[in-house]
Amino acid sequence: MTDSALKLTIDNGLARLVFTQGKRGNPIDGALCRELNEASVVLSEHKDVRAVLITAEGPAFSYGGDIASFLTKLDELPGMIKRWTSDLHMAIARLQRMDAPLIASVHGVCAGGMAGFIAGCDIVVAAEDSKFVAAYTGIGYCCDAGSSVTLSRRMGLARARKFLLLNETLDAGTALAAGLIDEICAIDEYTARANAIATRLAAGPTKAYGEVRRLLLSAGSQSLETQLENEAQALARCAGSSDAREGLTAFAEKRKPVYTGQ
């Protein structure tokens, strides 16, 4: 899949989703929202996808919403935002419910909705030059792209509230301490590190990863009894998988398991 806002390739179980509008700062606009929605369909339907590595071209990961487009259509903005988020939010929902883990490799500025988007990834590796900008209230807007959920789950509700209300900019070290990212690497090393993590996950027990991802997604909204039953049902599904049998057998035979994602 090749288009103006992003590029998607899939090879040996590892999908690579690249934002390709680096010269424009990879803005979140109508084109990106539509293409990300289509990419989510492809990824969720492609049975061979076992991990997704998300990267971006250009000096910044993303400056967030396309303010240039906003300024030219001020009277049309409410309807335009509803159309864009229809695609963007559907894409995010699909990606969150997949078996395949999401790994983000971030550099430069990551602002607004894109900060919320990467906060929804399972593993976030950031270059030491990264800066995470809340952005929304700086232009009189509230948050979207799942930010109210993803930021509060990663940072905690109080820290996410402060980040958003005060329109903070977090450097890589502060973002790590707040839980927004998982690792910091040198500028010449972060890409290789994220790729290594994605490659490792792409060779892992994909069905188990999917169950873990969905259990964590529902953990904050279900009663204890319901979540315990969700865990039991998920574990039973894992027990019937080929990878679980391979994992048990490999453990007994004292060898490294070879998972197929089934």
Side-chain angles (χ1 to χ4, degrees):
M1 177 178 176
T2 304
D3 45 50
S4 61
L6 59 83
K7 177 173 63 176
L8 176 63
T9 59
I10 301 170
D11 181 44
N12 197 30
L14 178 56
R16 298 177 186 275
L17 180 66
V18 186
F19 297 118
T20 57
Q21 289 287 298
K23 292 182 179 179
R24 297 178 56 218
N26 296 308
I28 300 175
D29 58 11
L32 183 138
C33 292
R34 288 191 301 273
E35 293 168 18
L36 189 60
N37 192 15
E38 176 59 26
S40 75
V41 174
V42 174
L43 289 167
S44 61
E45 286 296 311
H46 202 298
K47 305 305 180 185
D48 294 334
V49 172
R50 298 174 65 187
V52 182
L53 177 60
I54 301 169
T55 61
E57 296 178 352
F61 190 86
S62 173
Y63 290 120
D66 187 9
I67 294 178
S69 294
F70 293 175
L71 290 171
T72 62
K73 299 180 179 179
L74 290 174
D75 293 336
E76 303 171 33
L77 267 180
M80 188 169 76
I81 285 172
K82 287 181 179 179
R83 293 184 185 94
W84 289 10
T85 54
S86 291
D87 285 322
L88 177 62
H89 290 179
M90 179 58 73
I92 290 169
R94 285 200 184 101
L95 292 173
Q96 288 298 314
R97 287 174 169 79
M98 286 172 32
D99 287 338
L102 308 178
I103 305 92
S105 176
V106 182
H107 67 282
V109 173
C110 181
M114 203 59 84
F117 179 76
I118 69 97
C121 292
D122 301 283
I123 305 290
V124 182
V125 178
E128 58 190 358
D129 71 335
S130 300
K131 294 184 184 301
F132 300 86
V133 186
Y136 291 108
T137 59
I139 57 170
Y141 278 66
C142 63
C143 55
D144 69 340
S147 299
S148 60
V149 175
T150 59
L151 291 174
S152 59
R153 282 182 171 167
R154 269 197 167 267
M155 303 167 74
L157 183 59
R159 188 65 186 89
R161 181 189 293 119
K162 181 173 180 282
F163 176 65
L164 290 168
L165 292 182
L166 295 183
N167 187 24
E168 290 184 329
T169 296
L170 308 182
D171 61 24
T174 306
L176 179 66
L180 179 55
I181 62 176
D182 298 296
E183 294 187 21
I184 301 172
C185 293
I187 294 174
D188 60 349
E189 296 175 356
Y190 80 100
T191 301
R193 175 57 179 160
N195 188 75
I197 293 173
T199 300
R200 174 181 172 179
L201 289 171
T206 312
K207 299 295 185 185
Y209 291 157
E211 298 292 359
V212 169
R213 297 184 79 234
R214 288 184 290 275
L215 285 169
L216 292 175
L217 197 62
S218 66
S221 60
Q222 302 294 332
S223 68
L224 173 61
E225 291 76 12
T226 298
Q227 189 66 8
L228 288 170
E229 180 60 17
N230 287 343
E231 290 183 356
Q233 295 286 349
L235 192 61
R237 287 191 293 271
C238 284
S241 71
S242 297
D243 279 346
R245 294 190 180 195
E246 166 63 9
L248 288 173
T249 303
F251 182 84
E253 296 175 353
K254 297 182 179 180
R255 61 174 175 82
K256 184 177 179 180
V258 179
Y259 294 121
T260 62
Q262 302 300 316

